[in-house]
Amino acid sequence: MTAVIELRGVTKSFRTDRRTSTTAVDDVSLTVEEGSIVGVIGYSGAGKSTLVRLLNGLEQPTSGTVEVLGVNVGDATEARLRDLRRRVGMIFQQFNLFTSRTVAANVAYPLKVAGWKKADRDKRVAELLDFVGIGDKAKQYPRRLSGGQKQRVGIARAIATDPRILLADEATSALDPQTTAEVLDLLREINRRLGITIVVITHQISIVHELCDQVIVMDGGRVVDSGDTYRVFAHPRAELTKRFVAAVTQGVPSGEALAALAAGGGELVSVEVNEFSSEDVSNVFHRHGVRHSVVYGGVTDVLGRQLGTLTYRVHGDDLDAVVTELRAHTDVVLPAQGVRS
C-alpha cells in the first residue's frame, strides 16, 4: 500500500507569551495508507484539531516532518500548499456553508476557485448533489436545510475537486444518532466508490468502531495507541483506550454494581467476547451442565466483529472446568473473587 500521509517525530508548540509555550502535538509518528479510513480519537485537548491543521498545511510543525501526498508541509511554498489543499477535502463540525449562497453555489465554490467553466461546474454540481442524496435542494439556501442536509452539502463541496484525501473534523458531533448513521454510510460510499482516503477526527468511539479500519488514539498531544481498529479495542495498550471501550461495553462489574450482583447468588463469570462469540460461551456452559444467565456487560460491533464483555451468573458443580475451557479461547474474570486470567 502507498502512504498518502506520513508524520515522523512531529511536534507542534505554540508560544503563549514571551517565556512560555504549550505543546499541542508531541513527538507524533504515524502513517495513513491510500484508500483507508482512519479514525483519530481523543478527548478535548488531545491535539486532534492541531493535527488536522498540520495535515492540510494550515500549521507547520515546530519539529519533525509532515508529508502529505508527497509534499513536505514544513518546507513547502505557499503556492505548493494551496495546490495541496485542493487535493485535501475538508468537512467541518459546523458545516461552514455560505448562508447567502444557494446549495448549488456552495458546492460550486471550490470549482469556481479552481477555474472550472460554468457549464462544467453546473454539470459537476448536479452530479455531486445527486450522489449525496440532495439533488432536489440545489436552489435552496442553507437556512432551509436540516443539520444532516447541511452536512451533505459540506461533503459534496469537500469532494467537488476530486481530492485524494478527505479530512472530517468532528463532522457528526452536531448531528442526531440517525443522521450520524446516514452520514457514516455516505462516507463509506465515498471511500468505496471513489477510493478517497478518509481521516476522521472525533471524540466519539461509536464513529470509530462503525466506520474506521484503522485507529489512532491521542492523549495529551501524543499517540498512545494505534493500529487495526479491532486489535486496538480488543487488546488496548493504553488506559485511555480501555476507557473508550468500557464506555460502550461496560466491562467487568465493580463497586456497588458488583456487590449487588454478588448478593444474587451463584458465581459470577465475566467473559471477554471477541472472535470467540457469546454463542460459543453458551455452548461451553451447556456441555458442563451449568445453568447461566447474562446479568451485566455489553457487546458492540467493530466493523462486523463482536467485541465486549458479558458477565454471567452461573450455577453448577463444574465451574473450574468451565473456566479452564473458556480461558483456552478468551479472557475470563471471576470478579467476586478478584481473579483474572
Side-chain angles (χ1 to χ4, degrees):
M1 296 290 288
T2 303
V4 291
I5 296 173
E6 190 162 4
L7 274 63
R8 295 183 291 273
V10 172
T11 295
K12 177 61 181 180
S13 298
F14 295 95
R15 178 76 55 187
T16 54
D17 57 42
R18 290 183 178 181
R19 297 182 178 180
T20 61
S21 64
T22 182
T23 299
V25 172
D26 187 6
D27 193 26
V28 167
S29 296
L30 60 87
T31 300
V32 174
E33 295 181 342
E34 188 169 21
S36 61
I37 305 180
V38 178
V40 181
I41 187 168
Y43 293 127
S44 178
K48 308 187 303 298
S49 295
T50 301
L51 183 67
V52 169
R53 293 177 65 82
L54 287 167
L55 296 182
N56 62 19
L58 293 178
E59 297 285 356
Q60 295 189 341
T62 304
S63 61
T65 302
V66 177
E67 194 168 289
V68 180
L69 297 174
V71 176
N72 186 327
V73 172
D75 293 341
T77 63
E78 186 57 38
R80 192 84 190 275
L81 289 175
R82 284 197 299 271
D83 177 67
L84 173 64
R85 292 178 195 127
R86 282 195 286 268
R87 295 182 287 156
V88 180
M90 190 80 192
I91 311 171
F92 304 92
Q93 178 180 359
Q94 298 299 332
F95 319 125
N96 286 21
L97 303 180
F98 297 111
T99 58
S100 61
R101 301 188 184 195
T102 64
V103 165
N106 267 277
V107 177
Y109 179 75
L111 300 173
K112 187 176 182 179
V113 171
W116 285 45
K117 295 180 181 179
K118 186 178 186 309
D120 293 335
R121 291 201 307 267
D122 292 346
K123 180 181 178 181
R124 176 65 170 161
V125 168
E127 292 172 347
L128 288 165
L129 292 179
D130 283 339
F131 178 77
V132 301
I134 52 171
D136 59 334
K137 307 295 182 183
K139 296 182 180 180
Q140 293 194 15
Y141 287 86
R143 64 178 178 275
R144 301 286 300 274
L145 304 181
S146 68
Q149 290 168 339
K150 290 177 183 177
Q151 195 55 285
R152 288 173 184 269
V153 177
I155 292 172
R157 181 182 60 186
I159 63 174
T161 56
D162 196 22
R164 289 180 61 189
I165 297 172
L166 185 59
L167 303 179
D169 189 7
E170 299 285 5
T172 61
S173 295
L175 305 178
D176 62 73
Q178 178 60 40
T179 306
T180 293
E182 294 170 358
V183 169
L184 295 185
D185 285 342
L186 179 56
L187 292 177
R188 269 189 221 98
E189 189 71 358
I190 288 171
N191 175 258
R192 185 182 68 83
R193 287 181 54 181
L194 306 181
I196 296 175
T197 304
I198 301 177
V199 179
V200 179
I201 309 298
T202 185
H203 65 277
Q204 299 170 290
I205 185 175
S206 58
I207 305 303
V208 175
H209 71 64
E210 291 175 24
L211 179 66
C212 304
D213 42 52
Q214 300 284 315
V215 63
I216 296 164
V217 183
M218 291 191 70
D219 188 17
R222 301 182 69 89
V223 172
V224 295
D225 219 337
S226 64
D228 172 83
T229 300
Y230 191 85
R231 196 285 306 161
V232 170
F233 289 156
H235 306 288
R237 291 193 288 255
E239 286 301 318
L240 178 58
T241 315
K242 294 176 183 177
R243 292 204 299 273
F244 277 125
V245 174
V248 291
T249 62
Q250 288 189 285
V252 177
S254 60
E256 293 181 1
L258 175 57
L261 291 171
E267 294 286 349
L268 298 177
V269 179
S270 297
V271 181
E272 180 184 292
V273 179
N274 42 54
E275 289 89 350
F276 189 60
S277 72
S278 56
E279 180 181 355
D280 295 324
V281 174
S282 295
N283 289 339
V284 172
F285 287 138
H286 284 305
R287 277 199 298 275
H288 292 272
V290 171
R291 290 185 294 118
H292 62 284
S293 59
V294 176
V295 295
Y296 190 87
V299 175
T300 190
D301 182 273
V302 181
L303 298 178
R305 300 160 72 187
Q306 287 187 322
L307 176 65
T309 300
L310 294 177
T311 297
Y312 297 81
R313 188 187 310 282
V314 301
H315 299 269
D317 298 327
D318 205 11
L319 182 59
D320 287 345
V322 170
V323 171
T324 297
E325 184 170 346
L326 289 173
R327 283 178 172 163
H329 301 279
T330 190
D331 286 345
V332 178
V333 179
L334 304 179
Q337 300 179 21
V339 175
R340 186 179 182 94
S341 65

